[in-house]
Each structure stands twice: as C-alpha cells, then as structure tokens.
Amino acid sequence: MPNVPEARPPVVTPARILIAVCLTAPFVAMLWVGSYAETDPTLAGIPFFYWYQMLWVLVSTALTMAAYKLWQRDRRGRAAQRGGASE
C-alpha cells in the first residue's frame, strides 16, 4: 500500500483569523494616534486623549480573553479530529 500522508486540517481557519484580528486591533487603535489626539469630547473633565486610551485597556482585555477562548476551542477541535486528547 502506498504511503498516503494523513489529511491535516488547514492551518489558516476562520477562528484563527478572528484570533489575529482580536490581538491586532488594540495595536492598530493605539498606534494610529491621529485618530484620538484631541481634547474634545471630555468625559467627567478628562480629555478624550486619556479616556480613549483607558477605554482600550478594557477593550484589549476583553479581546485578549476572547482570543484565548477561541484558541482553546480551536485546539480542542483539532485534537478531536486527530482522535487524541487536548492538553
């Protein structure tokens, strides 16, 4: 019988693309300073420049957590396809 390679799931999947978007969005938002380099509108007397950055701390946390959960789900799915247990 010829040596037939095992069918492997694709490396780039929609879940992995979503993970990449979740992890790169905060970097893009913070490196694009021209989009938030303003003082108005203020929030409780805090200029936009500062509260926008603090908001991204919370958003980044949520996006990182979502990316981690997606990564876990992807790994479990791949392990199930191989017939092994996930770590």
Side-chain angles (χ1 to χ4, degrees):
M1 179 182 313
N3 232 352
V4 179
E6 227 178 273
R8 300 180 77 186
V11 175
V12 178
T13 62
R16 289 186 175 193
I17 292 171
L18 188 55
I19 290 167
V21 168
C22 286
L23 294 176
T24 56
F27 289 105
V28 172
M30 291 290 92
L31 290 175
W32 186 21
V33 178
S35 69
Y36 63 92
E38 301 177 11
T39 56
D40 289 329
T42 59
L43 180 68
I46 301 171
F48 179 72
F49 181 78
Y50 295 112
W51 67 258
Y52 179 81
Q53 291 179 62
M54 290 300 107
L55 179 66
W56 269 102
V57 170
L58 300 174
V59 171
S60 297
T61 302
L63 288 173
T64 302
M65 187 174 65
Y68 178 70
K69 293 296 183 183
L70 285 167
W71 181 255
Q72 283 182 323
R73 191 174 79 181
D74 186 62
R75 287 187 64 196
R76 281 193 305 266
R78 287 175 176 272
Q81 283 180 345
R82 285 193 310 260
S86 69
E87 295 177 26

